[in-house]
Amino acid sequence: MGKDHFGECHICGKYGELTFEHIPPKMAFNWQGVKIYNGYEAINKSKGEKAKYCNSQKGMGRYSLCQSCNNNTGTWYAQTYCNFAMDVIKSIHKSPTLEHGDIVQYKFKKCPALQVVKQIIAMFCSQLPYQEVHRLGFDTLLLEKESNEVKRELFDLRMYLTSSEVGAYMSGLTSVILKNNDSFDTINVSELCAYPFGFILNLSPEIPVEYGGSIMDMFNVKYDDNCDFELSLMYLEKYSNQLPLPLIFKELPI
């Protein structure tokens, strides 16, 4: 018998039975079984020590959304994201081997850009508590299919390319210390990495993040707009694939 999961939906905030949300969507190469390690066990694993993990035959994800929110976001946004990811994967396979810090220019034609970026936001919602989702306005953004209104003063969303050799990785809201010349800044971020993309949600946008490129312009179009646009995506490698911490990448070449 399956185990029921109850809690607060991370998008609408209603309490009830939660469904499994694939992160990224199932058809974006997320249908095979995975081993899921929490933070402490991941540290043990990186040290070569015995580590506990949970087997997920469904793929990477969480019980985080009610049935209604899962169905709506899946219907409105997920398939477009999968097509978008597949186009980039095909392009990567035709290109020379990428090295850390390389920047690749991609041209997209007739792509519903708003649907793609709203799916990315939906994936982050599963990692954030509902109170934070509501503060950022992500609940309204996702539940109103046509909406493209975002609170740009509260966040920046960035994208980068990642290797197929890196396992899926996601972190909830995390405080990270960044060195800025002779001083240090603390920023709040959430990060998601699942081939071919990595995403950084910077919740301290007044302190810019140098990694990847901002994709905030993808909110500037309507839901059904099929857009021709270009994206400059940086290929980044984590400092450690065994312990992929938020924003801890190899040093960028000068």
Side-chain angles (χ1 to χ4, degrees):
M1 295 180 64
K3 181 180 179 181
D4 293 332
H5 298 263
F6 287 85
E8 193 174 49
C9 174
H10 288 223
I11 292 180
C12 70
K14 295 179 181 177
Y15 184 88
E17 186 172 359
L18 300 177
T19 59
F20 187 83
E21 168 71 354
H22 285 85
I23 308 171
K26 184 176 181 180
M27 296 310 296
F29 298 95
N30 188 22
W31 58 77
Q32 295 181 330
V34 295
K35 296 178 180 178
I36 300 178
Y37 295 85
N38 66 27
Y40 292 108
E41 298 302 333
I43 292 174
N44 291 338
K45 182 175 181 292
S46 70
K47 295 178 180 179
E49 300 175 1
K50 189 175 181 180
K52 297 178 182 179
Y53 59 86
C54 295
N55 274 315
S56 173
Q57 299 305 318
K58 298 173 180 285
M60 191 68 179
R62 299 183 64 184
Y63 285 89
S64 56
L65 304 184
C66 68
Q67 187 72 55
S68 177
C69 288
N70 202 335
N71 288 343
N72 285 337
T73 57
T75 300
W76 295 339
Y77 317 125
Q79 186 57 57
T80 302
Y81 173 88
C82 294
N83 296 339
F84 180 81
M86 182 62 71
D87 286 345
V88 171
I89 289 173
K90 289 178 180 177
S91 180
I92 289 175
H93 288 174
K94 296 177 182 178
S95 304
T97 302
L98 295 173
E99 296 184 358
H100 179 65
D102 284 350
I103 297 177
V104 184
Q105 193 81 8
Y106 290 101
K107 294 183 179 181
F108 299 91
K109 292 186 177 182
K110 296 182 178 180
C111 174
L114 182 62
Q115 297 177 34
V116 173
V117 75
K118 289 179 78 168
Q119 174 58 40
I120 296 167
I121 291 295
M123 293 189 288
F124 274 110
C125 285
S126 287
Q127 302 178 61
L128 301 173
Y130 170 72
Q131 291 75 11
E132 189 67 9
V133 169
H134 180 66
R135 183 186 74 86
L136 294 165
F138 290 166
D139 49 353
T140 301
L141 174 70
L142 295 176
L143 296 178
E144 294 183 8
K145 176 182 173 182
E146 307 286 340
S147 176
N148 65 350
E149 296 184 11
V150 291
K151 300 178 180 179
R152 297 174 186 268
E153 72 279 8
L154 297 184
F155 74 98
D156 180 38
L157 182 61
R158 305 182 73 82
M159 176 191 290
Y160 61 89
L161 295 174
T162 188
S163 169
S164 60
E165 297 178 0
V166 178
Y169 160 77
M170 56 184 180
S171 73
L173 190 58
T174 306
S175 293
V176 177
I177 298 176
L178 293 182
K179 185 176 182 180
N180 184 12
N181 295 323
D182 295 328
S183 63
F184 293 89
D185 295 315
T186 301
I187 65 172
N188 294 318
V189 299
S190 180
E191 189 175 352
L192 167 65
C193 181
Y195 180 75
F197 302 123
F199 303 103
I200 300 167
L201 181 65
N202 180 8
L203 302 185
S204 306
E206 67 279 4
I207 304 172
V209 171
E210 64 177 313
Y211 298 107
S214 178
I215 55 173
M216 295 296 289
D217 284 348
M218 295 176 75
F219 290 108
N220 293 344
V221 299
K222 296 180 180 179
Y223 177 83
D224 289 320
D225 283 351
N226 290 316
C227 310
D228 295 345
F229 62 97
E230 295 185 3
L231 275 181
S232 294
L233 297 180
M234 182 183 292
Y235 175 75
L236 295 173
E237 295 179 354
K238 286 288 185 178
Y239 182 79
S240 169
N241 288 342
Q242 293 295 319
L243 188 61
L245 298 173
L247 299 191
I248 307 298
F249 298 100
K250 294 179 180 178
E251 186 174 349
L252 289 172
I254 300 175

